[in-house]
Amino acid sequence: MNDPLGNGESAIVCPGSPPAIPDMELLRQIGKGGFGEVWLARNQTTGGLRAVKIVPLRGTGAVDPAGREIVSLSCLEQTARVRDPNLVTIHHVGRTADFLFYIMDTADDVSGGPVSPGAEYAPATLAVRLRCGPVAGDDCVRWSNQLLSALACLHGEGLVHRDVKPSNCLFIDGQLKLADFGLLAQVDRSVSRVGTLEYMPPDGIMDTCADVYAAGLVIYQMITGLPAHRFPAIQTRARAMLADPRLMALNRLVLKACQSDRNGRFADAIAMLETFQQEVVDRNGTDRVEGMKAAPGRIRRLFSGAIVAICLAVALLGGWLVWRGLNSVPNVDVNFITDQFDAEIWLDGRRLCQPDGQPWLTPCTVTGVSAETHLVVLKRQGLEDLDLGRIDFAKTREVVAHWGIDNGDPDARP
Amino acid sequence: MSSQTHTTLLDRIRDGADAVAWDEFWTRYWRAVFNFAKCRGCSEHTAEEVVQDVMLTVFQNRQVFRYDSAKGRFRDWLGGIVSNLVNQRRAKPAERVRAAGGDGQNVLESAQDSHASADDAWEEAFEASLLNVLLDLVRREVAPETYQAFELVALQGVPAGEAAQLTGLTRNAVYLARKRILQRLRELGQSYRSEGRLLDRVKRALASAPSADVECSLTSWMAQSVPARGRACP
C-alpha cells in the first residue's frame, strides 16, 4: 500500500463520488500511490470490511498502470504455491468499465483496535510505527523474520517484489505482512528500473538483490529509527544496539544486505533469511522467534548442511588446538598502537610482515605472535627507534607506545 | 569541496528550473540557516520558517546576485539575508514568547551574548553545515561498515573492540576506518582555514545537525516549493 496516509502524489482515480465496485460499498479512501488508490470497503452481502485497490484502466501518456498491475497479479496467480502467511492475501481481482480493482485484507488500526468503518480508522503500517522512533529488540527480530520470510517465498518462486519499503509492510492481526504487488515481476525477465527511489540500490538493477537491499534498509530503520537515507549512520542508537546481541547481529545483516556492490550482498532473501536465522535467532539460545514458521525446503536442507559443516569444523579446530597445546608454544593476537601511526614493528631484530610481504604498520592487530618473551622495537621514518625492551606476549595482548610528540594531528592518538 | 561557493553553482541557480542545482544549493546551506536561526534564539518551528523564507528570498533574488570576489563572499551575502530575516522574526512578539517558553527577553539576550557577534555565529553555523555535507559525501563513498566503524569510534567514543563486534570488522580494520575517513575529510575540506582539530569540529557539526524530523519536513517543503516555482517561471 503506497502512502497510506496520503502524503504523496497520486493519479486522481475518482475525483467525485467513489467509483462503483461490484458487491462492495466503498466507504473512504485510506491510501494512495502513484497509480492507484486504496479504499476501505464493506461487502454488501456479508458486511465484512476489506481494503480495495483501484487502478484506472486508462493510464496517462505512455504509462499503463493497470496493464502492469494485471501482469503482476497474473504472475502471483500463476505461481499458485505462493501462499506465505506474511504476504497480504488477495481475495478477488476484477474490473469495471473504468477500473481494475482487487480486494485484500484490511490492516489493523493504528490505535491497535479493530478495523472500523469510522473516520478514525487509519491502517497500521511499519511506516507509521517508525514515526515513533526505533523498534524494540523483540519486535525488530520478529518483524524482520516476517518480512524476510515473505520475500524469501517470492524469490523462491522466481518473483521479485521491487517495492519493499515500510509503507508496504502492513500489520494484520499483529503480524507484519508484505503488501502491494503492483511492481511484482519474474526475476528472470529483464526488469525495468521501477520502485521507490530511496530504497533502490545504487546499481539500479531491480532483481532479488534489489529486494535484499531494500529489506536491509527497512530493518536498518527498525533498529535505528532513522530515515533510510541516513544509512549507515547510527548516531545516538549505538549504545542501545551494543547492549543487545540481537540488534548487533541484525546490524551486521543490514551492512551485508546494503552493500553498494551487488556482489557483496546476499544473492536473494532466501540466503538473507538463512543468515538471519543462524546469526540472530539460533545464536541467541532461548530466544526463539514467536510465530516463526518452518523454513522452505531448500533453506532447511542448506541449514542442516551448515550445521553438519559447523560441527565438523568445531571438531577439527578442537583437535588442532589440542595438538598445538601439546606440541608448541601457542600463538596469540597482539594489538600494537602508537601515538604516531604507521610505525614498523620489529621483534627480536626481525621486522614483522604480513603474509603478502607487506610490513605490519601501527595501529594494527598482529596475528600469530608466539606467546613468549620478545625484544620489541618500533621504527618510524623521521623518528628515533622506540626500544620497548622485552615483552612477554603470554601475558600482554596490547602494546601502546608514545613518542611523546604533539603536533596537533588529530589522528595522532587512537 | 571548497569552502567558497562554486561560481558555476551560482550561475546554475539563476535558472530557477534547474532542480539539480537548487537541490545542491539546498543540501549545502539549509542546515547553516536553521542552526543560525536557532542559536539566535528562534524556536525550532520558527527556524524552519526562516529556512523557507531564506530559500524563497534567494530564489527571488537569483538574478540580482553576481559573484565578485572583490565585492565579497557569497557566504557573507547569504549571511546578510539570513541575519535580516532572523531579526524580523525575532521582532515578532509571538516568537519572543515561543522562543523563551514565556520569558522571551532573557533567552534572546542570552542567545546574543553567547556569541561575540552574529557574524561569528553565522561563520560557525556555515562551517558546521559544510562539514555535515562533507560527512554525507564520505558516507556515500566508503563501504557502510567503514563509515559505521568511524562513526562509532571517532564520533561516539565507542571502544574499538565493541565497534568491531557491531560492524563485523576486525579491530585493526576499525582503526584503519577511522584513519581513512579522517584523511578523506581533510582532503575534501582542505581549503578550510578554521581553528581547532578537525575531529572536534566534525563532532560539533554533527551535534548541531537538525533532527531527522526537521530534515524530512523541510526537504519535503523544498522539493514541492522552489523547483515548482522555477518550472512556472517563463
Side-chain angles (χ1 to χ4, degrees), chain A residues 229-232 234-235 251-252 259 335 342 363-364 398 410-411, chain B residues 139 145 148 151 156 165-166 171-172 175 178-179 182 186 215:
Chain A
H229 72 265
R230 288 272 176 97
F231 175 79
I234 297 180
Q235 297 181 351
N251 185 60
R252 292 193 294 270
Q259 292 288 316
N335 298 320
D342 300 329
C364 58
E398 185 159 285
D411 274 352
Chain B
R139 184 161 56 91
E145 60 273 21
Q148 218 171 63
E151 186 189 276
Q156 311 265 354
Q165 272 190 301
L166 192 55
R171 274 182 70 152
N172 191 37
Y175 285 128
R178 175 188 184 279
K179 179 182 175 183
L182 271 175
R186 200 168 287 118
E215 184 178 349

PDB file of all heavy atoms in Angstrom, chain A residues 229-232 234-235 251-252 259 335 342 363-364 398 410-411, chain B residues 139 145 148 151 156 165-166 171-172 175 178-179 182 186 215:
ATOM      1  N   HIS A 229      17.618   7.242   4.176  1.00  0.00           N
ATOM      2  CA  HIS A 229      18.711   7.950   3.507  1.00  0.00           C
ATOM      3  C   HIS A 229      19.868   8.260   4.459  1.00  0.00           C
ATOM      4  O   HIS A 229      20.922   8.695   4.012  1.00  0.00           O
ATOM      5  CB  HIS A 229      18.196   9.226   2.825  1.00  0.00           C
ATOM      6  CG  HIS A 229      17.825  10.313   3.768  1.00  0.00           C
ATOM      7  ND1 HIS A 229      16.539  10.507   4.200  1.00  0.00           N
ATOM      8  CD2 HIS A 229      18.566  11.261   4.383  1.00  0.00           C
ATOM      9  CE1 HIS A 229      16.507  11.528   5.027  1.00  0.00           C
ATOM     10  NE2 HIS A 229      17.728  12.006   5.155  1.00  0.00           N
ATOM     11  N   ARG A 230      19.677   8.046   5.754  1.00  0.00           N
ATOM     12  CA  ARG A 230      20.777   8.267   6.689  1.00  0.00           C
ATOM     13  C   ARG A 230      21.696   7.038   6.791  1.00  0.00           C
ATOM     14  O   ARG A 230      22.721   7.090   7.480  1.00  0.00           O
ATOM     15  CB  ARG A 230      20.243   8.576   8.079  1.00  0.00           C
ATOM     16  CG  ARG A 230      19.613   9.942   8.220  1.00  0.00           C
ATOM     17  CD  ARG A 230      20.664  10.989   8.582  1.00  0.00           C
ATOM     18  NE  ARG A 230      20.090  12.307   8.636  1.00  0.00           N
ATOM     19  CZ  ARG A 230      19.695  12.896   9.769  1.00  0.00           C
ATOM     20  NH1 ARG A 230      19.813  12.258  10.904  1.00  0.00           N
ATOM     21  NH2 ARG A 230      19.204  14.109   9.742  1.00  0.00           N
ATOM     22  N   PHE A 231      21.320   5.909   6.174  1.00  0.00           N
ATOM     23  CA  PHE A 231      22.139   4.702   6.262  1.00  0.00           C
ATOM     24  C   PHE A 231      23.573   5.021   5.835  1.00  0.00           C
ATOM     25  O   PHE A 231      23.765   5.715   4.846  1.00  0.00           O
ATOM     26  CB  PHE A 231      21.554   3.612   5.348  1.00  0.00           C
ATOM     27  CG  PHE A 231      22.400   2.372   5.291  1.00  0.00           C
ATOM     28  CD1 PHE A 231      22.357   1.438   6.303  1.00  0.00           C
ATOM     29  CD2 PHE A 231      23.265   2.155   4.215  1.00  0.00           C
ATOM     30  CE1 PHE A 231      23.153   0.302   6.255  1.00  0.00           C
ATOM     31  CE2 PHE A 231      24.058   1.026   4.161  1.00  0.00           C
ATOM     32  CZ  PHE A 231      24.002   0.100   5.179  1.00  0.00           C
ATOM     33  N   PRO A 232      24.605   4.515   6.509  1.00  0.00           N
ATOM     34  CA  PRO A 232      24.605   3.592   7.642  1.00  0.00           C
ATOM     35  C   PRO A 232      24.802   4.275   9.001  1.00  0.00           C
ATOM     36  O   PRO A 232      25.269   3.630   9.941  1.00  0.00           O
ATOM     37  CB  PRO A 232      25.814   2.720   7.328  1.00  0.00           C
ATOM     38  CG  PRO A 232      26.785   3.686   6.697  1.00  0.00           C
ATOM     39  CD  PRO A 232      25.965   4.710   5.962  1.00  0.00           C
ATOM     40  N   ILE A 234      24.421   5.594  12.689  1.00  0.00           N
ATOM     41  CA  ILE A 234      23.725   5.006  13.838  1.00  0.00           C
ATOM     42  C   ILE A 234      23.338   6.094  14.835  1.00  0.00           C
ATOM     43  O   ILE A 234      22.321   6.034  15.495  1.00  0.00           O
ATOM     44  CB  ILE A 234      24.624   3.967  14.546  1.00  0.00           C
ATOM     45  CG1 ILE A 234      24.924   2.811  13.603  1.00  0.00           C
ATOM     46  CG2 ILE A 234      23.943   3.457  15.795  1.00  0.00           C
ATOM     47  CD1 ILE A 234      25.803   1.761  14.233  1.00  0.00           C
ATOM     48  N   GLN A 235      24.210   7.097  14.935  1.00  0.00           N
ATOM     49  CA  GLN A 235      24.012   8.230  15.837  1.00  0.00           C
ATOM     50  C   GLN A 235      23.795   7.770  17.277  1.00  0.00           C
ATOM     51  O   GLN A 235      24.513   6.919  17.762  1.00  0.00           O
ATOM     52  CB  GLN A 235      22.877   9.105  15.312  1.00  0.00           C
ATOM     53  CG  GLN A 235      23.238   9.711  13.940  1.00  0.00           C
ATOM     54  CD  GLN A 235      22.183  10.593  13.366  1.00  0.00           C
ATOM     55  OE1 GLN A 235      21.080  10.690  13.858  1.00  0.00           O
ATOM     56  NE2 GLN A 235      22.530  11.273  12.285  1.00  0.00           N
ATOM     57  N   ASN A 251      22.347  -5.638  12.775  1.00  0.00           N
ATOM     58  CA  ASN A 251      23.122  -4.572  12.125  1.00  0.00           C
ATOM     59  C   ASN A 251      24.113  -5.162  11.130  1.00  0.00           C
ATOM     60  O   ASN A 251      24.277  -4.657  10.019  1.00  0.00           O
ATOM     61  CB  ASN A 251      23.848  -3.745  13.183  1.00  0.00           C
ATOM     62  CG  ASN A 251      24.564  -2.553  12.582  1.00  0.00           C
ATOM     63  OD1 ASN A 251      23.942  -1.688  11.969  1.00  0.00           O
ATOM     64  ND2 ASN A 251      25.890  -2.517  12.712  1.00  0.00           N
ATOM     65  N   ARG A 252      24.781  -6.259  11.523  1.00  0.00           N
ATOM     66  CA  ARG A 252      25.739  -6.889  10.598  1.00  0.00           C
ATOM     67  C   ARG A 252      25.005  -7.433   9.365  1.00  0.00           C
ATOM     68  O   ARG A 252      25.504  -7.365   8.252  1.00  0.00           O
ATOM     69  CB  ARG A 252      26.501  -8.004  11.311  1.00  0.00           C
ATOM     70  CG  ARG A 252      27.445  -7.506  12.398  1.00  0.00           C
ATOM     71  CD  ARG A 252      28.397  -8.588  12.860  1.00  0.00           C
ATOM     72  NE  ARG A 252      27.720  -9.672  13.538  1.00  0.00           N
ATOM     73  CZ  ARG A 252      27.480  -9.724  14.857  1.00  0.00           C
ATOM     74  NH1 ARG A 252      27.893  -8.738  15.633  1.00  0.00           N
ATOM     75  NH2 ARG A 252      26.851 -10.750  15.386  1.00  0.00           N
ATOM     76  N   GLN A 259      25.223  -3.419   0.828  1.00  0.00           N
ATOM     77  CA  GLN A 259      26.472  -3.075   0.164  1.00  0.00           C
ATOM     78  C   GLN A 259      26.170  -2.392  -1.176  1.00  0.00           C
ATOM     79  O   GLN A 259      25.239  -2.781  -1.880  1.00  0.00           O
ATOM     80  CB  GLN A 259      27.291  -4.348  -0.103  1.00  0.00           C
ATOM     81  CG  GLN A 259      27.827  -5.020   1.144  1.00  0.00           C
ATOM     82  CD  GLN A 259      28.966  -4.228   1.768  1.00  0.00           C
ATOM     83  OE1 GLN A 259      29.850  -3.746   1.077  1.00  0.00           O
ATOM     84  NE2 GLN A 259      28.931  -4.087   3.083  1.00  0.00           N
ATOM     85  N   ASN A 335      47.628  -6.392  19.811  1.00  0.00           N
ATOM     86  CA  ASN A 335      47.374  -5.052  19.262  1.00  0.00           C
ATOM     87  C   ASN A 335      48.612  -4.182  19.477  1.00  0.00           C
ATOM     88  O   ASN A 335      49.165  -4.151  20.586  1.00  0.00           O
ATOM     89  CB  ASN A 335      46.200  -4.381  19.976  1.00  0.00           C
ATOM     90  CG  ASN A 335      44.922  -5.156  19.800  1.00  0.00           C
ATOM     91  OD1 ASN A 335      44.656  -5.672  18.731  1.00  0.00           O
ATOM     92  ND2 ASN A 335      44.138  -5.249  20.864  1.00  0.00           N
ATOM     93  N   ASP A 342      51.595   4.275  11.628  1.00  0.00           N
ATOM     94  CA  ASP A 342      52.475   3.785  10.555  1.00  0.00           C
ATOM     95  C   ASP A 342      53.883   3.443  11.021  1.00  0.00           C
ATOM     96  O   ASP A 342      54.854   3.610  10.272  1.00  0.00           O
ATOM     97  CB  ASP A 342      52.542   4.792   9.390  1.00  0.00           C
ATOM     98  CG  ASP A 342      51.173   5.037   8.778  1.00  0.00           C
ATOM     99  OD1 ASP A 342      50.357   4.105   8.802  1.00  0.00           O
ATOM    100  OD2 ASP A 342      50.937   6.146   8.282  1.00  0.00           O
ATOM    101  N   PRO A 363      48.314   1.570  13.583  1.00  0.00           N
ATOM    102  CA  PRO A 363      47.763   0.650  14.579  1.00  0.00           C
ATOM    103  C   PRO A 363      47.324  -0.633  13.890  1.00  0.00           C
ATOM    104  O   PRO A 363      46.766  -0.584  12.785  1.00  0.00           O
ATOM    105  CB  PRO A 363      46.558   1.412  15.124  1.00  0.00           C
ATOM    106  CG  PRO A 363      46.134   2.253  13.969  1.00  0.00           C
ATOM    107  CD  PRO A 363      47.351   2.604  13.202  1.00  0.00           C
ATOM    108  N   CYS A 364      47.561  -1.755  14.509  1.00  0.00           N
ATOM    109  CA  CYS A 364      47.196  -2.999  13.875  1.00  0.00           C
ATOM    110  C   CYS A 364      47.093  -4.107  14.919  1.00  0.00           C
ATOM    111  O   CYS A 364      47.561  -3.963  16.049  1.00  0.00           O
ATOM    112  CB  CYS A 364      48.226  -3.387  12.811  1.00  0.00           C
ATOM    113  SG  CYS A 364      49.878  -3.557  13.458  1.00  0.00           S
ATOM    114  N   GLU A 398      48.296  -6.199  24.299  1.00  0.00           N
ATOM    115  CA  GLU A 398      48.197  -4.881  23.676  1.00  0.00           C
ATOM    116  C   GLU A 398      49.414  -4.052  24.053  1.00  0.00           C
ATOM    117  O   GLU A 398      49.732  -3.918  25.236  1.00  0.00           O
ATOM    118  CB  GLU A 398      46.910  -4.176  24.116  1.00  0.00           C
ATOM    119  CG  GLU A 398      46.695  -2.846  23.402  1.00  0.00           C
ATOM    120  CD  GLU A 398      45.240  -2.400  23.446  1.00  0.00           C
ATOM    121  OE1 GLU A 398      44.412  -2.962  22.706  1.00  0.00           O
ATOM    122  OE2 GLU A 398      44.935  -1.484  24.226  1.00  0.00           O
ATOM    123  N   PRO A 410      45.122  15.294  14.534  1.00  0.00           N
ATOM    124  CA  PRO A 410      44.012  14.622  15.202  1.00  0.00           C
ATOM    125  C   PRO A 410      44.094  13.102  15.088  1.00  0.00           C
ATOM    126  O   PRO A 410      43.446  12.403  15.833  1.00  0.00           O
ATOM    127  CB  PRO A 410      42.776  15.152  14.485  1.00  0.00           C
ATOM    128  CG  PRO A 410      43.256  15.838  13.291  1.00  0.00           C
ATOM    129  CD  PRO A 410      44.683  16.136  13.433  1.00  0.00           C
ATOM    130  N   ASP A 411      44.856  12.597  14.142  1.00  0.00           N
ATOM    131  CA  ASP A 411      44.994  11.151  14.015  1.00  0.00           C
ATOM    132  C   ASP A 411      45.976  10.592  15.027  1.00  0.00           C
ATOM    133  O   ASP A 411      46.159   9.393  15.150  1.00  0.00           O
ATOM    134  CB  ASP A 411      45.533  10.789  12.632  1.00  0.00           C
ATOM    135  CG  ASP A 411      44.403  10.678  11.643  1.00  0.00           C
ATOM    136  OD1 ASP A 411      43.252  10.730  12.091  1.00  0.00           O
ATOM    137  OD2 ASP A 411      44.682  10.538  10.454  1.00  0.00           O
TER     138      ASP A 411
ATOM    139  N   ARG B 139      30.243   9.396   3.564  1.00  0.00           N
ATOM    140  CA  ARG B 139      29.349   8.285   3.896  1.00  0.00           C
ATOM    141  C   ARG B 139      28.947   7.521   2.636  1.00  0.00           C
ATOM    142  O   ARG B 139      28.808   6.308   2.649  1.00  0.00           O
ATOM    143  CB  ARG B 139      28.107   8.854   4.606  1.00  0.00           C
ATOM    144  CG  ARG B 139      27.128   7.842   5.096  1.00  0.00           C
ATOM    145  CD  ARG B 139      26.234   8.464   6.162  1.00  0.00           C
ATOM    146  NE  ARG B 139      25.540   9.654   5.699  1.00  0.00           N
ATOM    147  CZ  ARG B 139      24.346   9.644   5.133  1.00  0.00           C
ATOM    148  NH1 ARG B 139      23.717   8.519   4.938  1.00  0.00           N
ATOM    149  NH2 ARG B 139      23.773  10.784   4.769  1.00  0.00           N
ATOM    150  N   GLU B 145      30.148  -0.436   6.438  1.00  0.00           N
ATOM    151  CA  GLU B 145      30.759  -0.835   7.710  1.00  0.00           C
ATOM    152  C   GLU B 145      31.947   0.072   8.056  1.00  0.00           C
ATOM    153  O   GLU B 145      32.228   0.309   9.232  1.00  0.00           O
ATOM    154  CB  GLU B 145      31.180  -2.315   7.691  1.00  0.00           C
ATOM    155  CG  GLU B 145      32.172  -2.696   6.634  1.00  0.00           C
ATOM    156  CD  GLU B 145      31.508  -3.070   5.311  1.00  0.00           C
ATOM    157  OE1 GLU B 145      30.350  -2.666   5.083  1.00  0.00           O
ATOM    158  OE2 GLU B 145      32.165  -3.748   4.500  1.00  0.00           O
ATOM    159  N   GLN B 148      30.414   3.242   9.458  1.00  0.00           N
ATOM    160  CA  GLN B 148      29.835   2.974  10.781  1.00  0.00           C
ATOM    161  C   GLN B 148      30.943   2.839  11.838  1.00  0.00           C
ATOM    162  O   GLN B 148      30.811   3.339  12.957  1.00  0.00           O
ATOM    163  CB  GLN B 148      29.003   1.700  10.728  1.00  0.00           C
ATOM    164  CG  GLN B 148      27.756   1.782  11.551  1.00  0.00           C
ATOM    165  CD  GLN B 148      26.841   0.600  11.329  1.00  0.00           C
ATOM    166  OE1 GLN B 148      27.197  -0.535  11.624  1.00  0.00           O
ATOM    167  NE2 GLN B 148      25.663   0.853  10.809  1.00  0.00           N
ATOM    168  N   GLU B 151      32.158   6.268  12.658  1.00  0.00           N
ATOM    169  CA  GLU B 151      31.194   6.995  13.478  1.00  0.00           C
ATOM    170  C   GLU B 151      31.238   6.509  14.928  1.00  0.00           C
ATOM    171  O   GLU B 151      31.240   7.309  15.866  1.00  0.00           O
ATOM    172  CB  GLU B 151      29.784   6.813  12.915  1.00  0.00           C
ATOM    173  CG  GLU B 151      28.759   7.650  13.641  1.00  0.00           C
ATOM    174  CD  GLU B 151      27.333   7.331  13.239  1.00  0.00           C
ATOM    175  OE1 GLU B 151      26.872   7.861  12.240  1.00  0.00           O
ATOM    176  OE2 GLU B 151      26.683   6.539  13.941  1.00  0.00           O
ATOM    177  N   GLN B 156      31.415   8.718  18.448  1.00  0.00           N
ATOM    178  CA  GLN B 156      30.615   8.307  19.613  1.00  0.00           C
ATOM    179  C   GLN B 156      31.482   7.836  20.775  1.00  0.00           C
ATOM    180  O   GLN B 156      30.968   7.538  21.840  1.00  0.00           O
ATOM    181  CB  GLN B 156      29.670   7.163  19.232  1.00  0.00           C
ATOM    182  CG  GLN B 156      28.861   7.407  17.978  1.00  0.00           C
ATOM    183  CD  GLN B 156      27.483   7.971  18.279  1.00  0.00           C
ATOM    184  OE1 GLN B 156      27.112   8.076  19.429  1.00  0.00           O
ATOM    185  NE2 GLN B 156      26.766   8.340  17.249  1.00  0.00           N
ATOM    186  N   GLN B 165      32.673  -5.577  16.940  1.00  0.00           N
ATOM    187  CA  GLN B 165      31.569  -6.539  17.113  1.00  0.00           C
ATOM    188  C   GLN B 165      30.317  -6.079  16.371  1.00  0.00           C
ATOM    189  O   GLN B 165      29.631  -6.871  15.751  1.00  0.00           O
ATOM    190  CB  GLN B 165      31.220  -6.650  18.586  1.00  0.00           C
ATOM    191  CG  GLN B 165      32.017  -7.696  19.339  1.00  0.00           C
ATOM    192  CD  GLN B 165      31.402  -7.880  20.717  1.00  0.00           C
ATOM    193  OE1 GLN B 165      31.325  -6.927  21.488  1.00  0.00           O
ATOM    194  NE2 GLN B 165      30.969  -9.078  21.006  1.00  0.00           N
ATOM    195  N   LEU B 166      30.050  -4.804  16.452  1.00  0.00           N
ATOM    196  CA  LEU B 166      28.818  -4.286  15.858  1.00  0.00           C
ATOM    197  C   LEU B 166      28.873  -4.287  14.330  1.00  0.00           C
ATOM    198  O   LEU B 166      27.863  -4.475  13.656  1.00  0.00           O
ATOM    199  CB  LEU B 166      28.553  -2.860  16.376  1.00  0.00           C
ATOM    200  CG  LEU B 166      27.183  -2.245  16.102  1.00  0.00           C
ATOM    201  CD1 LEU B 166      26.073  -3.140  16.606  1.00  0.00           C
ATOM    202  CD2 LEU B 166      27.070  -0.893  16.773  1.00  0.00           C
ATOM    203  N   ARG B 171      39.379  -5.383  14.787  1.00  0.00           N
ATOM    204  CA  ARG B 171      39.778  -4.150  15.480  1.00  0.00           C
ATOM    205  C   ARG B 171      40.707  -3.329  14.606  1.00  0.00           C
ATOM    206  O   ARG B 171      40.628  -2.100  14.554  1.00  0.00           O
ATOM    207  CB  ARG B 171      40.510  -4.511  16.778  1.00  0.00           C
ATOM    208  CG  ARG B 171      39.581  -4.745  17.931  1.00  0.00           C
ATOM    209  CD  ARG B 171      40.361  -5.053  19.162  1.00  0.00           C
ATOM    210  NE  ARG B 171      41.081  -3.888  19.647  1.00  0.00           N
ATOM    211  CZ  ARG B 171      41.394  -3.690  20.912  1.00  0.00           C
ATOM    212  NH1 ARG B 171      41.049  -4.572  21.823  1.00  0.00           N
ATOM    213  NH2 ARG B 171      42.056  -2.627  21.291  1.00  0.00           N
ATOM    214  N   ASN B 172      41.588  -4.045  13.932  1.00  0.00           N
ATOM    215  CA  ASN B 172      42.535  -3.361  13.061  1.00  0.00           C
ATOM    216  C   ASN B 172      41.803  -2.556  11.984  1.00  0.00           C
ATOM    217  O   ASN B 172      42.123  -1.404  11.706  1.00  0.00           O
ATOM    218  CB  ASN B 172      43.439  -4.416  12.413  1.00  0.00           C
ATOM    219  CG  ASN B 172      44.613  -3.793  11.713  1.00  0.00           C
ATOM    220  OD1 ASN B 172      45.156  -2.813  12.189  1.00  0.00           O
ATOM    221  ND2 ASN B 172      44.985  -4.356  10.590  1.00  0.00           N
ATOM    222  N   TYR B 175      40.318   0.663  13.352  1.00  0.00           N
ATOM    223  CA  TYR B 175      41.302   1.752  13.445  1.00  0.00           C
ATOM    224  C   TYR B 175      41.592   2.347  12.072  1.00  0.00           C
ATOM    225  O   TYR B 175      41.683   3.559  11.900  1.00  0.00           O
ATOM    226  CB  TYR B 175      42.608   1.230  14.041  1.00  0.00           C
ATOM    227  CG  TYR B 175      42.565   0.980  15.528  1.00  0.00           C
ATOM    228  CD1 TYR B 175      42.969  -0.244  16.057  1.00  0.00           C
ATOM    229  CD2 TYR B 175      42.132   1.963  16.409  1.00  0.00           C
ATOM    230  CE1 TYR B 175      42.947  -0.483  17.417  1.00  0.00           C
ATOM    231  CE2 TYR B 175      42.097   1.735  17.772  1.00  0.00           C
ATOM    232  CZ  TYR B 175      42.507   0.517  18.276  1.00  0.00           C
ATOM    233  OH  TYR B 175      42.474   0.287  19.621  1.00  0.00           O
ATOM    234  N   ARG B 178      38.826   4.616  10.830  1.00  0.00           N
ATOM    235  CA  ARG B 178      38.887   5.937  11.466  1.00  0.00           C
ATOM    236  C   ARG B 178      39.927   6.804  10.772  1.00  0.00           C
ATOM    237  O   ARG B 178      39.666   7.963  10.425  1.00  0.00           O
ATOM    238  CB  ARG B 178      39.241   5.753  12.937  1.00  0.00           C
ATOM    239  CG  ARG B 178      39.458   7.038  13.707  1.00  0.00           C
ATOM    240  CD  ARG B 178      40.001   6.699  15.084  1.00  0.00           C
ATOM    241  NE  ARG B 178      40.139   7.869  15.913  1.00  0.00           N
ATOM    242  CZ  ARG B 178      41.163   8.717  15.853  1.00  0.00           C
ATOM    243  NH1 ARG B 178      42.113   8.526  14.966  1.00  0.00           N
ATOM    244  NH2 ARG B 178      41.216   9.757  16.659  1.00  0.00           N
ATOM    245  N   LYS B 179      41.079   6.199  10.559  1.00  0.00           N
ATOM    246  CA  LYS B 179      42.175   6.946   9.957  1.00  0.00           C
ATOM    247  C   LYS B 179      41.831   7.354   8.517  1.00  0.00           C
ATOM    248  O   LYS B 179      42.019   8.497   8.110  1.00  0.00           O
ATOM    249  CB  LYS B 179      43.424   6.062   9.964  1.00  0.00           C
ATOM    250  CG  LYS B 179      44.638   6.697   9.351  1.00  0.00           C
ATOM    251  CD  LYS B 179      45.795   5.734   9.365  1.00  0.00           C
ATOM    252  CE  LYS B 179      46.994   6.340   8.636  1.00  0.00           C
ATOM    253  NZ  LYS B 179      48.106   5.414   8.556  1.00  0.00           N
ATOM    254  N   LEU B 182      39.106  10.147   8.335  1.00  0.00           N
ATOM    255  CA  LEU B 182      39.636  11.461   8.732  1.00  0.00           C
ATOM    256  C   LEU B 182      40.533  12.038   7.635  1.00  0.00           C
ATOM    257  O   LEU B 182      40.490  13.237   7.350  1.00  0.00           O
ATOM    258  CB  LEU B 182      40.419  11.336  10.036  1.00  0.00           C
ATOM    259  CG  LEU B 182      39.583  11.504  11.304  1.00  0.00           C
ATOM    260  CD1 LEU B 182      40.420  11.242  12.532  1.00  0.00           C
ATOM    261  CD2 LEU B 182      38.975  12.901  11.372  1.00  0.00           C
ATOM    262  N   ARG B 186      39.830  15.465   5.561  1.00  0.00           N
ATOM    263  CA  ARG B 186      40.841  16.515   5.474  1.00  0.00           C
ATOM    264  C   ARG B 186      41.097  16.900   4.014  1.00  0.00           C
ATOM    265  O   ARG B 186      41.244  18.063   3.679  1.00  0.00           O
ATOM    266  CB  ARG B 186      42.128  16.041   6.147  1.00  0.00           C
ATOM    267  CG  ARG B 186      43.046  17.176   6.522  1.00  0.00           C
ATOM    268  CD  ARG B 186      44.161  16.729   7.424  1.00  0.00           C
ATOM    269  NE  ARG B 186      43.674  16.467   8.762  1.00  0.00           N
ATOM    270  CZ  ARG B 186      43.725  15.277   9.365  1.00  0.00           C
ATOM    271  NH1 ARG B 186      44.242  14.243   8.753  1.00  0.00           N
ATOM    272  NH2 ARG B 186      43.262  15.124  10.575  1.00  0.00           N
ATOM    273  N   GLU B 215      14.558  17.579   9.110  1.00  0.00           N
ATOM    274  CA  GLU B 215      15.134  17.389   7.772  1.00  0.00           C
ATOM    275  C   GLU B 215      14.057  16.916   6.797  1.00  0.00           C
ATOM    276  O   GLU B 215      13.944  17.437   5.687  1.00  0.00           O
ATOM    277  CB  GLU B 215      16.273  16.363   7.849  1.00  0.00           C
ATOM    278  CG  GLU B 215      16.972  16.187   6.514  1.00  0.00           C
ATOM    279  CD  GLU B 215      18.134  15.206   6.586  1.00  0.00           C
ATOM    280  OE1 GLU B 215      18.520  14.823   7.709  1.00  0.00           O
ATOM    281  OE2 GLU B 215      18.635  14.827   5.523  1.00  0.00           O
TER     282      GLU B 215
END
